[in-house]
Amino acid sequence: MSLDRSFRWRALDPEGLEHCHVTTTSKDTRARGAIITPQHGLFYRLKLDGMGHVRTVRLERADGKVLELFSDGAGNWSDDRAEPLPELRGCIDVDISATPLTNSLPLWRCDWIIDQPQRFTMAWIDADAMSVQRHEQIYTRLDEARFRFQSVGDGFERIITVDADGLVFDYPGLFVRTD
């Protein structure tokens, strides 16, 4: 995958707008985005290594709240004070609640067989609370453009449509791409 372009999503619940730019090179992938919702303005930055593993995450809200996380790419995490976060051990990806971009992270990294589910342990970030917790998710490729997303434990499920680059085009009830 090779990207150097911007994307926009409209959030549906709650309403909002996001502008994101993703750049990939042979060394890494970087994403920067800005989100505006009725509750807050949020800027985020992600860096993935050449294997597609998250290495750094930074969220900063307009009210000054900041959440910064670091990973060794093998599932060991620390915060901005270099304090280990053992509750996130084994998480390779992040899922930021306010953006569909992070749904692409496991899609980019993994090989997919139609109708074969894959389970992921995510560092799930609640952008409203600026907190992180461990979260189990299942993705199943249904065809070239659709994945079933399941949140383990709460029954949440959606069929997500992606483009040829594995970026969310439609996430029913939550996000729709506008670019």
Side-chain angles (χ1 to χ4, degrees), residues 116-129:
Q116 184 175 7
Q118 292 192 50
R119 189 179 187 115
F120 300 91
T121 305
M122 311 295 256
W124 185 78
I125 298 173
D126 182 330
D128 292 330

Side-chain angles (χ1 to χ4, degrees), residues 35-171:
I35 301 168
I36 299 171
T37 72
Q39 291 78 25
H40 54 75
L42 176 74
F43 176 77
Y44 68 86
R45 186 173 54 209
L46 301 172
K47 181 180 177 188
L48 286 65
D49 64 22
M51 301 294 292
H53 300 155
V54 175
R55 300 307 295 267
T56 62
V57 180
R58 180 176 171 89
L59 282 76
E60 184 173 352
R61 290 199 333 209
D63 63 8
K65 292 183 180 170
V66 174
L67 177 64
E68 194 164 21
L69 304 171
F70 301 91
S71 173
D72 64 0
N76 298 300
W77 292 81
S78 61
D79 63 16
D80 60 340
R81 296 177 317 272
E83 293 293 326
L85 299 169
E87 66 275 16
L88 300 180
R89 186 166 290 121
C91 299
I92 302 298
D93 301 300
V94 296
D95 185 1
I96 301 171
S97 65
T99 177
L101 173 72
T102 50
N103 291 98
S104 296
L105 303 183
L107 305 185
W108 291 340
R109 196 181 71 256
C110 297
D111 293 324
W112 294 94
I113 297 172
I114 292 188
D115 291 328
Q116 184 175 7
Q118 292 192 50
R119 189 179 187 115
F120 300 91
T121 305
M122 311 295 256
W124 185 78
I125 298 173
D126 182 330
D128 292 330
M130 292 294 274
S131 63
V132 62
Q133 65 185 26
R134 182 181 198 85
H135 190 253
E136 302 290 324
Q137 300 177 353
I138 299 170
Y139 287 81
T140 306
R141 181 172 215 146
L142 302 176
D143 56 37
E144 289 303 310
R146 295 180 312 129
F147 284 83
R148 175 180 295 113
F149 168 84
Q150 296 168 285
S151 174
V152 176
D154 63 11
F156 181 84
E157 182 176 321
R158 291 290 189 279
I159 304 298
I160 300 171
T161 304
V162 299
D163 67 12
D165 291 317
L167 288 150
V168 172
F169 190 78
D170 183 35
Y171 194 138

